[in-house]
Amino acid sequence: MSNIFFTVGPSQLYPTAKKHIEKAIQDDICSLSHRSKKFQEIYASAVQNVKNLLGIPENFQIFFLGSATEAMERIIQNCVREHSFHFVNGSFSKRFFDISGWLGKKPEKVEVKFGEGFYFNDINIPDESELICLTQTETSAGTSVPMKEIYSLKKRHPEKLIAVDIVSSVPYPKIDFSKIDAAFFSVQKGFGLPAGLGVLVVNEKCLEKSRLLEKDGISTGSYHNFSNLLKYAEKNQTSETPNVLGIYLMAKVAEDMLEYGINKIRKETEEKAERIYDFFENNRKMEPFVKNKKIRSQTIAVIETPGGSKEIVEKLKKKGITLGTGYKDFKEKQIRIANFPTHKISDVEFLLREIENL
Ligand SMILES: *Cc1c(COP(=O)(O)O)cnc(C)c1O
């Protein structure tokens, strides 16, 4: 029996991924030297396709890393002399905050409970903050920060850098990159690819900051500091032996999504999210965890299961559906449903029908 993964990451592979993996093996991509011309072509097409898909301006650099968590560390090392400021609304935004402290910086934060949003007008960001960090969709809680709130932060603090974690929302949100400075994601969520590749997008201001820190003798890391990443990116290469297969698959799936149409993907994401939330709003036993509809994530639906989540997860598993459980302390009390481009409307209908039949 086939199985469909509604887990929040890794998730169901994108429908064309299997075909591309098979072709990659046939074409010896896994044995390809990362110093070859063929690799440089793959690298260049991955960068171009991601830029086209997400509307990333030409003056932004794209760097390939090991994971999204690595991207957090690289951003702190390269964009912060001392002070970062974090909007913490769950476990991943907390991780970003923690990383800054672990690297010996002085992070500050505004924190809200799981499932709640920020009152942006009441938040004072200290003058000394150099970088503002936000998690666009908090995968642990199912909340999203509206992009317009992020843009207005930039308007109020044009001199500060803004970094946005878009791991579990990309490629859904339409982002005006001229109003942020850095964004990052990994590929095992919305792109429906095997884990092991992080993508970091930075503008010239981030690179400039990194150069300034280096000039002042502050460590910005080693092989993956921005200056070294840039040196190799300009040659369509990486400093180390990278995840060549991952970069190849990223190029292919971004191309497939472009062909399918990013606007169609966005529209369908909203349609599926509406069906999911409507269903649980009208369910007697379960309900959406995030009460404020304005901050409910379109890509990660967190559902409260007062009778426990374990039985639901096990029963659906027998029907060929793998659901996400709640995050950490919420493991037994919630289920999480990913709504990524790989999930078709008919998949969502199947899922909701099986939940109805429980
Ligand atoms: C999954 C996730 C991460 C971590 O991604 P890795 O690829 O495991 O490093 C970071 N932020 C958010 C919002 C996530 O959902």
Side-chain angles (χ1 to χ4, degrees):
M1 187 184 63
S2 68
N3 196 352
I4 175 153
F5 287 84
F6 281 96
T7 40
V8 298
S11 193
Q12 182 69 21
L13 285 182
Y14 194 68
T16 57
K18 183 161 180 263
K19 177 185 86 183
H20 294 309
I21 292 169
E22 283 167 0
K23 183 83 167 62
I25 290 170
Q26 254 175 42
D27 291 352
D28 292 328
I29 297 299
C30 301
S31 306
L32 187 65
S33 162
H34 60 296
R35 299 289 174 237
S36 64
K37 184 152 182 295
K38 176 102 191 273
F39 174 75
Q40 288 174 305
E41 287 166 13
I42 292 170
Y43 186 110
S45 71
V47 166
Q48 202 51 56
N49 293 350
V50 169
K51 280 189 168 175
N52 291 349
L53 183 71
L54 303 182
I56 299 170
E58 281 307 317
N59 62 344
F60 273 71
Q61 287 292 331
I62 292 188
F63 298 140
F64 294 113
L65 309 175
S67 66
T69 305
E70 188 194 343
M72 295 179 188
E73 182 168 290
R74 300 299 167 238
I75 290 170
I76 299 291
Q77 281 175 315
N78 287 271
C79 298
V80 180
R81 186 183 299 265
E82 261 195 311
H83 301 277
S84 57
F85 187 86
H86 302 257
F87 285 82
V88 176
N89 50 348
S91 302
F92 291 102
S93 40
K94 175 73 172 17
R95 182 185 293 180
F96 209 168
F97 169 83
D98 286 339
I99 284 174
S100 183
W102 292 335
L103 288 170
K105 313 289 181 186
K106 295 178 183 149
E108 289 186 59
K109 65 180 170 179
V110 53
E111 189 163 11
V112 294
K113 282 197 276 195
F114 271 63
E116 289 179 8
F118 300 101
Y119 292 95
F120 280 87
N121 291 332
D122 302 345
I123 295 166
N124 280 318
I125 300 178
D127 286 344
E128 72 237 31
S129 301
E130 301 150 66
L131 170 76
I132 303 172
C133 302
L134 299 115
T135 303
Q136 204 274 324
T137 284
E138 210 358 303
T139 319
S140 60
T143 44
S144 280
V145 176
M147 285 312 301
K148 70 173 194 328
E149 298 287 4
I150 299 177
Y151 302 151
S152 67
L153 276 178
K154 186 72 192 170
K155 215 167 178 179
R156 269 182 281 157
H157 304 281
E159 76 297 348
K160 301 188 196 308
L161 297 171
I162 296 197
V164 189
D165 174 340
I166 54 172
V167 179
S168 64
S169 49
V170 76
Y172 165 68
K174 193 167 180 194
I175 297 173
D176 180 349
F177 279 84
S178 72
K179 294 182 171 136
I180 64 171
D181 300 286
F184 61 90
F185 58 92
S186 41
V187 297
Q188 73 276 18
K189 303 200 178 169
F191 282 97
L193 288 173
L197 181 66
V199 181
L200 171 60
V201 184
V202 294
N203 68 4
E204 183 52 39
K205 279 171 79 182
C206 297
L207 299 175
E208 184 57 39
K209 177 76 184 230
S210 172
R211 281 193 285 268
L212 206 63
L213 297 182
E214 275 174 17
K215 201 170 98 277
D216 292 347
I218 294 166
S219 170
T220 53
S222 59
Y223 73 109
H224 269 183
N225 63 15
F226 285 2
S227 53
N228 217 38
L229 284 165
L230 180 64
K231 185 175 116 192
Y232 282 92
E234 282 174 340
K235 299 186 282 188
N236 290 319
Q237 285 187 3
T238 53
S239 66
E240 81 292 21
T241 320
N243 183 348
V244 177
L245 178 64
I247 294 170
Y248 171 88
L249 295 173
M250 177 80 252
K252 294 294 180 191
V253 163
E255 189 180 352
D256 293 340
M257 287 181 174
L258 274 165
E259 197 167 305
Y260 187 79
I262 185 66
N263 291 333
K264 198 166 161 199
I265 288 176
R266 288 179 174 142
K267 200 167 141 275
E268 286 176 359
T269 302
E270 287 167 4
E271 264 175 55
K272 290 180 292 168
E274 195 177 335
R275 291 216 195 181
I276 294 169
Y277 286 124
D278 273 358
F279 175 88
F280 287 103
E281 293 266 352
N282 295 305
N283 188 280
R284 274 169 297 123
K285 294 187 206 131
M286 299 175 238
E287 64 174 315
F289 172 58
V290 179
K291 306 303 172 217
N292 178 355
K293 290 185 186 177
K294 290 201 190 95
I295 58 163
R296 263 183 202 164
S297 165
Q298 297 290 291
T299 53
I300 307 285
V302 178
I303 307 299
E304 290 182 301
T305 54
S309 65
K310 210 170 161 197
E311 201 186 329
I312 300 169
V313 170
E314 278 169 10
K315 280 189 174 157
L316 287 177
K317 187 100 205 169
K318 290 195 186 110
K319 302 282 183 185
I321 293 168
T322 307
L323 282 181
T325 56
Y327 195 85
K328 280 196 184 147
D329 295 347
F330 295 98
K331 190 174 166 67
E332 307 271 308
K333 296 179 197 142
Q334 296 176 346
I335 51 172
R336 285 182 300 163
I337 301 170
N339 172 23
F340 294 147
T342 187
H343 300 112
K344 296 193 268 310
I345 289 182
S346 56
D347 296 331
V348 169
E349 284 170 346
F350 172 54
L351 167 73
L352 299 179
R353 207 162 51 236
E354 290 301 337
I355 293 179
E356 185 73 51
N357 289 341
L358 281 175

